[in-house]
Amino acid sequence: MSEPSIELKGSLFPLSVLYCQDFSVATLRQELAGKLAQAPGFFTQAPVVISVENCTQTPDFAAIKQLFSELQLVLVGVCGADASLKKAAHAAGLASLQPPKAGKTAEPAKPAAAPAPAAPVAPTVISADNKTIDGNIRSGQQIFVKGADLIIRGTVGAGAEVIADGNIHIYGALRGKAIAGAGGDASKKIYCYNMQPELISIAGNYWLSDTLQGDYWGKPVCIGLQDGQLMLAELF
Amino acid sequence: MAKIIVVTSGKGGVGKTTTSAAIGTGLALKGHKTVIVDFDIGLRNLDLIMGCERRVVFDFVNVINGEANLKQALIKDKRLENLFILPASQTRDKDALHKEGVERVLNELSDEFDFIICDSPAGIESGAMMALYFADEAIVVTNPEVSSVRDSDRILGMLSSKSRRAEQGLPGIKEHLLLTRYNPERVQKGEMLSVDDVNDILAIKLLGVIPESQAVLNASNSGQPVILDADSDAGQAYLDTVSRLLGEDVPFRFLNVEKKGLFKRIFGG
Ligand SMILES: Nc1ncnc2c1ncn2[C@@H]1O[C@H](COP(=O)(O)OP(=O)(O)OP(=O)(O)O)[C@@H](O)[C@H]1O
Ligand SMILES: [Mg+2]
């Protein structure tokens, strides 16, 4: 017999999980549209899993699926479903997945890759022993450090992305995206001298600029996760 | 060996061609043999600003393709002895330029000139990449508004990664920031970014600030680089800029709102 022309391999992908109180299509439409409007284009055709853990009635999965495609999202499945919800989800053509460990913002399944969309340039991948950059990261540039920390003696411009499996230190302003703990380590932190980012992410949890406005905006800040919650603290 | 300076921006319409013409002319005024090369293939503009549009016979693409030699294509400025223009082609598209051809022409120019000013097209496609690839220095033309600053940041990234100097591991391109169309009144009202705002974001050395000026429009309409209008604010700002480019320490002017005299205050204007 000739070699099989197909192959099934297990892989892990980062997925966004939607948590909600109300599973009615009308409410979901309103809330989701609001969220998407904050980051136009950012979630276009993003795969999403909906958590049904605290769901009391069986939602109309077919209608929710339709809503997602109207909003240019791809609903791939549900998580945290009991037997009857699983059945309903399967009937609507949805997969049923294991819920991520320890609730809402806990460490997601590895590898918790960055949620950020890739810039249209190949990232500059820097090996573990070369992780200090003297100078600015400009709009459109992407830096990825595998298995180590990234130290930047300069600013990260709007539209630039810096990603590291370890911590990220920025001795200048952060105006672009910074993604630390890209391998899923929730203990990693982001330090910067002037926080004005478009997005920050630690171990797959991420926050857009809007949620970061406030007292710490423009300040020297350390960003980390504590019990799954975003934690901001002044650097000094 | 000539010094190759690219005038670039990412964003369109910010004043690259105006600046190329002014700075090229300014360098020639200071006694340096200078050629300004129009890389904006298909949207030829420099010849108009320089007032030599009627004298274009052969162009950059002709030289690259071997259809004419440099001597035939270079246009000698009527006002200044040591100033030349290499016009772009109006009929080809941007892909008519290729690295080998550009390099050969620049090498040939390099033997003869002190400065080669490359007027880049807008964007980050091949035409703009070709204009910056061989540069020793870059003048990043920026308007004091967010989108222009963002595009300049993008171009600065290209300069540090996509140039010959970057690819060959040579010392990087020397980067200069030139703020143009600066309007202190609008800055004061908060409608435009200030010099400090832009400096803060781009973090490169400021070469000059050119005010928004009617003199620029008058100059381009009459085919006279604005730097020759030495009485005008923009002309003076460009003269200062050229001095700084040559290493002189010149204070910045035209940064603040002009205080109106009694006469102007009463009669307006
Ligand atoms: N300092 C200034 N004050 C007023 N108008 C200006 C100034 N600088 C440039 N302009 C005007 O802005 C317009 C665009 O200028 P210019 O052609 O030099 O820009 P450019 O960057 O070369 O454009 P392109 O990207 O299309 O090549 C022109 O009409 C020019 O007269
Ligand atoms: Mg132009």
Side-chain angles (χ1 to χ4, degrees):
Chain A
M1 223 181 90
S2 64
E3 285 200 11
S5 62
I6 62 162
E7 202 179 356
L8 267 174
K9 274 188 175 175
S11 296
L12 293 161
F13 294 97
L15 291 173
S16 298
V17 180
L18 176 71
Y19 298 89
C20 52
Q21 304 297 326
D22 186 342
F23 288 84
S24 79
V25 173
T27 314
L28 276 177
R29 179 191 301 279
Q30 195 185 350
E31 303 223 353
L32 271 174
K35 260 269 178 292
L36 297 181
Q38 289 174 10
F42 189 77
F43 290 104
T44 303
Q45 301 301 350
V48 177
V49 171
I50 188 163
S51 166
V52 293
E53 240 165 350
N54 50 5
C55 183
T56 45
Q57 288 168 290
T58 305
D60 185 351
F61 285 124
I64 293 176
K65 201 176 164 189
Q66 169 65 25
L67 166 69
F68 272 59
S69 70
E70 278 171 35
L71 295 171
Q72 291 193 294
L73 295 167
V74 182
L75 183 58
V76 292
V78 300
C79 65
D82 60 27
S84 78
L85 283 175
K86 259 185 199 167
K87 218 172 142 192
H90 290 169
L94 296 173
S96 141
L97 295 100
Q98 295 284 329
K101 283 165 279 171
K104 199 166 177 173
T105 42
E107 190 178 325
K110 282 205 258 176
V121 286
T124 310
V125 179
I126 293 179
S127 69
D129 55 326
N130 179 9
K131 53 194 174 178
T132 303
I133 293 170
D134 286 309
N136 303 310
I137 314 298
R138 302 293 182 178
S139 182
Q141 291 185 319
Q142 201 183 38
I143 306 289
F144 177 43
V145 178
K146 223 178 151 29
D149 289 0
L150 168 60
I151 298 139
I152 294 161
R153 293 179 57 195
T155 69
V156 176
E161 286 177 28
V162 293
I163 307 167
D165 284 339
N167 302 294
I168 297 177
H169 306 256
I170 301 164
Y171 292 91
L174 168 60
R175 297 194 178 86
K177 297 177 180 149
I179 292 150
D185 185 345
S187 71
K188 299 305 180 201
K189 292 191 165 57
I190 296 168
Y191 304 85
C192 62
Y193 270 52
N194 179 342
M195 185 199 70
Q196 310 175 33
E198 292 169 330
L199 173 147
I200 53 170
S201 164
I202 295 172
N205 305 276
Y206 58 91
W207 297 269
L208 295 173
S209 164
D210 276 2
T211 40
L212 300 165
Q213 307 280 339
D215 290 349
Y216 293 105
W217 192 256
K219 299 256 170 63
V221 168
C222 166
I223 303 157
L225 276 181
Q226 205 167 44
D227 304 323
Q229 295 294 317
L230 174 73
M231 184 203 68
L232 294 168
E234 274 185 62
L235 258 189
F236 32 73
Chain B
M1 273 289 279
K3 194 172 266 179
I4 303 177
I5 303 178
V6 62
V7 178
T8 183
S9 70
K11 192 171 163 68
V14 296
K16 292 179 293 295
T17 302
T18 305
T19 297
S20 300
I23 288 186
T25 305
L27 288 167
L29 274 175
K30 294 246 185 188
H32 302 281
K33 193 168 181 193
T34 303
V35 56
I36 315 173
V37 182
D38 191 348
F39 275 78
D40 205 346
I41 309 299
L43 287 172
R44 194 178 100 190
N45 246 307
L46 179 70
D47 50 329
L48 287 169
I49 307 282
M50 294 298 296
C52 63
E53 69 279 10
R54 290 171 200 285
R55 293 159 58 211
V56 175
V57 183
F58 294 109
D59 59 53
F60 194 8
V61 175
N62 292 139
V63 180
I64 284 182
N65 292 347
E67 295 150 4
N69 62 35
L70 259 181
K71 235 195 194 87
Q72 292 170 301
L74 282 174
I75 302 175
K76 191 176 175 318
D77 187 77
K78 278 196 170 146
R79 297 153 292 222
L80 293 167
E81 190 56 36
N82 44 10
L83 179 60
F84 291 79
I85 289 99
L86 182 57
S89 166
Q90 182 73 343
T91 49
R92 316 285 178 102
D93 61 55
K94 289 193 163 74
D95 300 327
L97 297 182
H98 50 87
K99 253 184 211 166
E100 297 69 36
V102 172
E103 182 170 28
R104 186 169 49 76
V105 174
L106 290 181
N107 279 343
E108 210 175 315
L109 288 171
S110 191
D111 293 337
E112 207 152 308
F113 288 90
D114 302 324
F115 286 98
I116 302 172
I117 308 293
C118 305
D119 180 17
S120 173
I124 52 171
E125 285 82 38
S126 72
M129 289 302 115
M130 219 54 87
L132 68 77
Y133 188 76
F134 296 99
D136 301 307
E137 300 193 16
I139 296 174
V140 180
V141 180
T142 308
N143 290 166
E145 42 112 4
V146 182
S147 61
S148 174
V149 173
R150 173 83 55 100
D151 289 0
S152 295
D153 199 47
R154 185 98 163 87
I155 277 291
L156 284 163
M158 302 281 183
L159 288 167
S160 64
S161 62
K162 297 272 168 6
S163 61
R164 180 184 67 98
R165 283 173 170 273
E167 282 180 6
Q168 299 181 356
L170 300 167
I173 292 178
K174 192 169 170 190
E175 302 156 343
H176 308 275
L177 172 63
L178 184 69
L179 260 183
T180 59
R181 311 201 69 160
Y182 197 72
N183 184 334
E185 264 164 44
R186 296 192 57 193
V187 172
Q188 205 174 50
K189 285 191 209 147
E191 296 168 359
M192 265 187 178
L193 298 176
S194 70
V195 177
D196 289 343
D197 293 336
V198 180
N199 249 335
D200 188 41
I201 297 173
L202 293 179
I204 56 172
K205 201 155 165 43
L206 182 66
L207 179 68
V209 179
I210 314 297
E212 171 82 25
S213 169
Q214 179 64 35
V216 172
L217 305 178
N218 300 344
S220 33
N221 287 337
S222 58
Q224 290 263 8
V226 69
I227 200 167
L228 295 174
D229 183 358
D231 293 333
S232 69
D233 49 359
Q236 290 172 18
Y238 272 119
L239 282 168
D240 290 356
T241 301
V242 170
S243 300
R244 284 187 209 105
L245 191 61
L246 293 169
E248 291 169 43
D249 194 6
V250 184
F252 288 90
R253 297 192 270 174
F254 314 109
L255 299 187
N256 298 309
V257 178
E258 215 182 304
K259 289 203 182 61
K260 287 185 176 173
L262 184 62
F263 188 81
K264 275 193 176 169
R265 245 183 284 161
I266 294 171
F267 297 102

